[in-house]
Amino acid sequence: MPDLSRMRNDYTLGQLSEADLAPTWVEQFDRWFAEVVAAEVPEPNAVVVATADADGAPDARIVLMKGYDADGIVFGTSYASTKGAQLAVNPRAALVFPWHPLQRQVRVAGRVERIGSTASDLLWDPRPRGAQLAAAASIQSTVVESRDELLERVRRLDEQTPEGPVPRPAAWGGYRVVPERVEFWQGGADRLHDRIRFVRDEAEGGGWIVQRLAP
């Protein structure tokens, strides 16, 4: 086993200053996301989504972001999944974009809302037929006897469904995380990381304030 206490890299790729910060969180996210894509980081839209149940027990998993704008960050999933059940009783989430090759991460926290049928169709329709079949056949987060059982469900649905796109199941759709805090984290030498966050200030009519956090 490696000595985990000595397993570390120093972060020296860059800094983040208030002077270089974009005027809004979404413009700053635009900049960083474009740089992540240009750097060919694998799965640049992969994001950790953390939720909690009614008792406050936390849970987390990685999904793919499928859209973002000033209103928030969007992903698709089964409403009947574990995360869907948790969001039904506790509609809040925390996100982390782990962009390790650029020594960066973005952290988002806020309330969560469903995006509606039309917007959910726009997430579902571009998916390949195979992915649509898998999502429609799988009752996400439920216990199954074997992988063969899942494959058989997909096979039967494929036979029963006309060629072309598979209709979106009613239990599948999109969520939007509406940010209340967005933190941009740039790794720094000797662990003096730059942490700058945008915080929604309800006292100022829902505007945003910028804060620097100690690392």
Side-chain angles (χ1 to χ4, degrees), residues 43-162:
E43 300 278 28
N45 58 330
V47 57
V48 178
V49 177
T51 53
D53 63 18
D55 296 324
D59 201 359
R61 75 292 289 163
I62 295 174
V63 304
L64 296 179
M65 174 182 67
K66 287 301 180 179
Y68 73 90
D69 56 23
D71 293 328
I73 291 169
V74 172
F75 64 90
T77 190
S78 168
Y79 293 143
S81 64
T82 297
K83 72 177 91 54
Q86 291 166 346
L87 289 171
V89 297
N90 189 359
R92 302 187 63 80
L95 311 179
V96 181
F97 291 88
W99 294 329
H100 301 302
L102 298 187
Q103 300 174 355
R104 291 174 175 171
Q105 58 180 308
V106 177
R107 303 172 62 207
V108 181
R111 62 182 177 84
V112 181
E113 61 188 21
R114 293 190 184 187
I115 63 173
S117 295
T118 301
S120 292
D121 286 341
L122 294 176
L123 299 186
W124 176 264
D125 292 346
R127 294 166 68 104
R129 177 180 168 89
Q132 292 177 338
L133 286 168
S138 172
I139 306 172
Q140 194 176 111
S141 303
T142 59
V143 176
V144 294
E145 290 296 326
S146 66
R147 181 174 177 81
D148 288 340
E149 178 185 339
L150 288 173
L151 293 174
E152 179 61 18
R153 287 184 193 173
V154 172
R155 187 192 65 78
R156 289 201 304 266
L157 183 60
D158 190 20
E159 288 182 347
Q160 297 164 4
T161 306

